[in-house]
Amino acid sequence: MKRVRKAVFPVAGLGTRFLPATKAIPKEMLTVVDRPVIQYVVDEAREAGIEHLIFVTGRAKGVIEDYFDIQVELSNTLAERGKTDELKLLDDLQPQPGTASFTRQQAPLGLGHAVWCARDLVGNEPFALLLPDMIMQAEKGCLAEMVELYEKTGGNVISVEECDPAETHKYGIVGKGETIGNGFKITGMVEKPKPEDAPSNFSISGRYILQPEIFDILATQERGAGNEIQLTDGMLKLADKQDFAAFPFKGRTFDCGSKEGFVEANVAFALWRPDIREKVIDNMQRLMKTVKPAQNGA
């Protein structure tokens, strides 16, 4: 069994739900408290032992590459001003030389296509896939827990969460098999089933460990929903040949691809911070009492 050393981050999306901000700023660089969304996802990967970060980018996403590079002028200025804490923070977040790679997805052909674009950088080994819109909050990261399960099961591992059984039509749903380690075997996958047809209420939640054979499948994958190459379709074909297991994540997940999820993430991570928690609570209570909906709906 090969160790999971590499992680893929598909960051080529246009972020149209956050216009006009994303006209100039990639959605992955919008900040939750004081860190870009993408930093939270990268931190989760590094906690899980990931050594090589692979970003699948698009046009106007160069600022993501700049963010993970050294800014000499900033570092020099902080050093001159004796800002040792800030310098240490930047050093801790900085990937080591040669451990971050960037490739382009020239056309918006879906998640499956974005994953396929990373094939040469991943090579013939298992890899993690983290959707950057989804940031997770837990004492121990979701991917770290998934790696523990992978070390027991091999094959492929997907993170799942329990959803309202009446809302299975909104998600990809997996069938629940026997318990194994800190998860369970997957008996099937269905994309957005009606509640009466759903094999369970465990929905796929944006973290994957996949074997490299998925690349050969995606290379010839026909376009599916939205006229895009769907990763779920590829995983269904891979499941005919390889085992899949699920890790039920028990922490909090925030969909930062939606406005409400992004705001919720800011509040939750602010409340998690001992240095600002009490002030945030006081301000939130005051605002909830005094702020009313705008008359013009803005």
Side-chain angles (χ1 to χ4, degrees), residues 137-138 142 145 160-162 182 202 247-253:
Q137 188 182 67
C142 178
E145 299 264 25
V160 297
E161 296 181 30
E162 290 192 75
N182 58 350
F202 284 99
F247 167 68
F249 179 61
K250 302 297 186 184
R252 303 178 188 88
T253 299

Side-chain angles (χ1 to χ4, degrees), residues 22 52 70 89 98 102 165 178 187 204 223 244 258:
T22 47
H52 192 163
I70 295 174
L89 172 64
F102 298 81
E178 64 180 276
T187 59
I204 299 173
R223 297 190 188 190
F244 274 74
S258 69

Side-chain angles (χ1 to χ4, degrees), residues 102-116:
F102 298 81
T103 188
R104 281 281 182 99
Q105 182 187 20
Q106 286 90 348
L109 297 178
L111 177 58
H113 181 260
V115 172
W116 179 76

Side-chain angles (χ1 to χ4, degrees), residues 45 201 233:
N201 68 323
D233 293 340

Side-chain angles (χ1 to χ4, degrees), residues 11 34 59 78 126 145 168 198 206 296:
V11 294
D34 55 4
R59 285 179 291 279
L78 292 175
E145 299 264 25
T168 57
N296 61 6

Side-chain angles (χ1 to χ4, degrees), residues 174-242:
V174 304
K176 186 177 186 297
E178 64 180 276
T179 299
I180 180 168
N182 58 350
F184 59 83
K185 289 187 176 181
I186 290 176
T187 59
M189 289 178 274
V190 186
E191 188 66 24
K192 299 180 179 180
K194 296 178 181 178
E196 61 268 24
D197 299 327
S200 74
N201 68 323
F202 284 99
S203 62
I204 299 173
S205 59
R207 300 290 186 269
Y208 311 79
I209 294 174
L210 298 171
Q211 294 296 321
E213 286 78 12
I214 191 70
F215 294 123
D216 290 336
I217 294 173
L218 293 173
T220 57
Q221 180 72 46
E222 295 180 358
R223 297 190 188 190
N227 199 33
E228 296 180 337
I229 298 173
Q230 297 292 335
L231 179 64
T232 303
D233 293 340
M235 290 194 301
L236 285 169
K237 291 183 180 179
L238 185 60
D240 291 336
K241 305 173 183 178
Q242 297 181 358

Side-chain angles (χ1 to χ4, degrees), residues 124-137:
N124 188 32
E125 58 183 283
F127 65 99
L129 170 66
L130 298 92
L131 303 191
D133 282 353
M134 313 299 289
I135 62 173
M136 297 178 168
Q137 188 182 67

